[in-house]
Amino acid sequence: MQLVTPGIGLIFWQLVTFLIVLFLLAKFAWKPIMKALHEREASIEDALSAAERAKLEIQSLKADNEKLLAEARLERDKILKEASDAGNALVESAKNKANEEGARMIAQAREAIENEKRAAITEVKNMAAALSLDIAERILRKELSNPAAQQELAADYIREVTLN
């Protein structure tokens, strides 16, 4: 059992060695270790505050991006609406112009038809007059080929003229 229980001398020298190590650590190592710990703590706090600032800045940028995106969507919708309105106005204008042109062409066609109708009626009248004259001329030649018929016709005309 002597191996398990330490002797008084061993405890004394271990205590002296511990105190010397503790003194040396307190004299030379304690301040640099504490300084390093404080610096580490300060750098961690700085890093945390920088992270918090970065987080706030990211949130701000994200809000700005959302705002810009919303404005861009509104502008896009506005441009699309203006383009649609312009297209509809252009189609409506073309439709009105086509209707006006169609009405003008119909009026011109009606006028041309009316002119052609008048010309055809005039031509028919002229042909009827020419045919009537031709028929009358043929009848008169046939009737006036005989001298007795000529005298009788002249006498009828004279009676009609004097009666009127």
Side-chain angles (χ1 to χ4, degrees):
M1 265 316 215
Q2 198 174 12
L3 288 176
V4 178
T5 57
I8 298 281
L10 180 62
I11 292 176
F12 172 76
W13 286 113
Q14 282 183 345
L15 183 63
V16 170
T17 306
F18 176 73
L19 291 175
I20 292 173
V21 168
L22 184 63
F23 173 75
L24 289 174
L25 284 175
K27 177 90 175 160
F28 297 109
W30 188 257
K31 287 182 185 178
I33 289 174
M34 289 307 287
K35 183 180 177 186
L37 285 177
H38 287 301
E39 287 175 0
R40 175 86 170 138
E41 185 179 340
S43 69
I44 289 173
E45 286 178 9
D46 288 344
L48 287 174
S49 65
E52 187 65 30
R53 283 192 308 270
K55 182 180 176 184
L56 292 175
E57 188 174 330
I58 287 173
Q59 288 175 348
S60 173
L61 288 174
K62 187 176 180 181
D64 289 345
N65 285 343
E66 290 294 326
K67 182 180 175 184
L68 287 174
L69 187 60
E71 288 175 1
R73 285 182 181 140
L74 288 174
E75 186 69 23
R76 178 200 64 196
D77 291 343
K78 180 182 172 186
I79 290 171
L80 286 175
K81 185 180 182 306
E82 287 175 0
S84 175
D85 291 346
N88 290 340
L90 187 61
V91 166
E92 191 66 30
S93 172
K95 191 185 293 182
N96 289 340
K97 189 174 181 181
N99 286 341
E100 289 172 5
E101 185 68 20
R104 186 184 61 78
M105 290 175 74
I106 288 171
Q108 283 179 346
R110 284 183 180 159
E111 188 177 324
I113 289 170
E114 190 64 34
N115 289 339
E116 289 293 324
K117 181 179 168 184
R118 279 191 224 120
I121 289 173
T122 302
E123 189 176 330
V124 167
K125 285 180 183 178
N126 288 340
M127 286 178 99
L131 284 175
S132 296
L133 285 175
D134 190 34
I135 291 171
E137 182 182 345
R138 286 183 186 178
I139 291 173
L140 283 176
R141 278 191 189 161
K142 187 175 183 182
E143 287 185 12
L144 294 179
S145 61
N146 154 0
Q150 283 180 6
Q151 286 179 356
E152 187 181 327
L153 185 62
D156 284 340
Y157 282 145
I158 291 174
R159 272 185 259 133
E160 284 181 21
V161 171
T162 56
L163 291 177
N164 287 338

